[in-house]
Amino acid sequence: MKPAILLIGANGQVGRELNRMLPLLGDVTALDRQRLDLSKPEEIRRAIRTFRPAWIVNAAAYTAVDNAESEEAVVSTINAEAPAVMAEEAKKTGASLVHYSTDYVFDGSKTSPYNEDDPTNPQNVYGRTKLEGERAIQASGVPHLIFRTAWVYATQGRNFLLTILRLATQREELRIVRDQVGAPTLNREIGKATANVLSQICTGTSSSFSFAKVSGIYHLTAAGETNWHDFAKAILEEATVTVASTPWFAAATNTLPLITRRVIPISTIEYPTLARRPAYSVLSNARLARTFSLRLPDWRTQLHSAFADGSLNRL
Ligand SMILES: NC(=O)c1ccc[n+]([C@@H]2O[C@H](COP(=O)([O-])OP(=O)(O)OC[C@H]3O[C@@H](n4cnc5c(N)ncnc54)[C@H](OP(=O)(O)O)[C@@H]3O)[C@@H](O)[C@H]2O)c1
């Protein structure tokens, strides 16, 4: 029998992909914010008790990193308390929990990729509350997978990729931060990797996995590393090639004319934001590779694939 899966945050970048992939593995009930508001713990409890899922997959979060600085109480409710309630309820009902966290749990002082067990030291409210969410899940004793991902983008919604494409139709010059290093990760790859892991657990391949056996934190990001400036340049390169070779693209995305001629590297100090961000937050995916034989494509390949499938929305 297919497991019942409760997908929370079905309308987000990652949630949308999960909503496409998870029905291959189980009977999915997908709830967006309208159907389940994470600021109401009783709603979380009621949903879990009503649907009695074998797996809860939580893709919802308060993700507006700068706004979070002035809304700590709300952010904490969604990023820390809600996962704690999910974990508690999952434990009571015998469910397992899949949850997502962030590279921003680290302070960025390392110069080589972070491992799961490296000391955390979040620099902003978003990172702090996400870390509290992780800890609550771990402390609950529920079988869980926490996937820390980073720099997530998609072909729809609001994200760096779509912002750069929009600005490229408006400005001749873009000034983009070069001293923050990370791994931009396409939502589709997170959805695919999650489904792959769950399918391995579900079918018991390798050494008869179970959630309990593999429970823990895993880094799940694109391979390789870049910075926001080089990522922006790569986006414009992809867009230029795609516009030239694919007539439908410009019309479908409002990407004409692309007028940006220069992408100027600047430092974080020249682009002050409300939230501090780590200078280096590349995550080693070695544990994911060891445990599930899973390696995500590098960030450049992922970016190319975002342009290749024609799903970019109007900007
Ligand atoms: N985005 C990134 O760069 C990034 C980086 C590292 C880690 N992550 C983590 O990856 C996961 C998925 O992120 P994402 O990029 O898919 O984020 P996203 O696109 O911002 O989606 C988050 C979803 O959470 C929902 N949500 C927010 N507040 C809610 C509430 N009170 N009740 C119910 N739902 C609520 C949002 O609903 P609405 O659609 O109604 O707003 C949205 O659909 C999160 O755990 C995030 O922390 C993201």
Side-chain angles (χ1 to χ4, degrees):
M1 206 177 70
K2 280 177 142 190
I5 304 174
L6 179 61
L7 171 60
I8 298 171
N11 210 24
Q13 301 188 96
V14 172
R16 276 196 307 273
E17 279 307 306
L18 291 168
N19 206 7
R20 272 176 4 105
M21 303 296 302
L22 295 182
L24 301 171
L25 301 175
D27 292 324
V28 177
T29 303
L31 303 181
D32 60 13
R33 191 204 292 249
Q34 274 66 47
R35 293 188 64 199
L36 175 56
D37 182 349
L38 294 192
S39 64
K40 299 177 180 153
E42 275 320 303
E43 283 194 15
I44 303 172
R45 291 186 199 283
R46 195 176 324 121
I48 295 171
R49 286 175 197 175
T50 305
F51 295 111
R52 289 257 155 197
W55 310 340
I56 301 162
V57 182
N58 176 34
Y62 186 115
T63 57
V65 176
D66 290 310
N67 294 346
E69 293 297 302
S70 55
E71 291 204 288
E72 183 149 6
V74 178
V75 186
S76 178
T77 304
I78 296 162
N79 290 353
E81 288 166 37
V85 172
M86 286 175 208
E88 192 186 308
E89 215 49 52
K91 186 88 195 290
K92 281 188 199 155
T93 58
S96 302
L97 179 58
V98 179
H99 180 73
Y100 297 87
S101 189
T102 172
D103 53 333
Y104 285 3
V105 297
F106 297 115
D107 62 16
S109 56
K110 257 188 107 175
T111 51
S112 60
Y114 279 94
N115 298 310
E116 286 80 353
D117 300 330
D118 278 330
T120 51
N121 182 23
Q123 297 295 294
N124 55 43
V125 168
Y126 169 72
R128 266 200 308 280
T129 56
K130 291 294 293 182
L131 181 60
E132 283 168 27
E134 286 185 5
R135 286 186 172 153
I137 292 169
Q138 289 180 298
S140 74
V142 76
H144 63 271
L145 298 168
I146 297 172
F147 294 120
R148 284 191 191 136
T149 187
W151 295 27
V152 180
Y153 66 99
T155 55
Q156 296 175 30
R158 281 202 334 206
N159 56 59
F160 189 80
L161 166 68
L162 297 175
T163 300
I164 292 296
L165 287 178
R166 179 170 44 78
L167 291 177
T169 66
Q170 299 167 352
R171 299 189 194 168
E172 287 205 354
E173 183 176 291
L174 302 183
R175 294 164 59 79
I176 311 285
V177 168
R178 191 163 67 179
D179 55 0
Q180 288 172 29
V181 176
T185 305
L186 182 61
N187 65 337
R188 194 178 312 142
E189 294 296 336
I190 300 171
K192 261 166 60 179
T194 303
N196 182 320
V197 167
L198 291 179
S199 136
Q200 291 190 41
I201 292 172
C202 208
T203 54
T205 53
S206 311
S207 52
S208 71
F209 280 141
S210 70
F211 258 96
K213 277 193 184 157
V214 295
S215 202
I217 297 180
Y218 294 86
H219 288 172
L220 173 63
T221 53
E225 62 182 56
T226 186
N227 57 69
W228 292 115
H229 168 266
D230 291 359
F231 186 33
K233 279 186 72 172
I235 290 169
L236 294 182
E237 279 164 27
E238 285 292 341
T240 306
V241 171
T242 312
V243 165
S245 63
T246 324
W248 57 259
F249 178 83
T253 60
N254 279 351
T255 313
L256 268 186
L258 287 170
I259 62 167
T260 298
R261 297 287 165 263
R262 287 174 302 280
V263 185
I264 312 283
I266 60 168
S267 68
T268 299
I269 296 166
E270 294 173 89
Y271 186 75
T273 53
L274 292 170
R276 284 183 65 181
R277 288 164 169 77
Y280 181 91
S281 60
V282 179
L283 306 181
S284 164
N285 283 210
R287 179 179 286 174
L288 189 77
R290 258 194 331 269
T291 312
F292 300 108
S293 307
L294 193 57
R295 282 173 190 80
L296 270 63
D298 74 89
W299 69 270
R300 195 66 179 76
T301 306
Q302 293 194 18
L303 178 62
H304 182 72
S305 76
F307 279 85
D309 79 350
S311 67
L312 271 169
N313 250 12
R314 291 182 79 82
L315 303 176

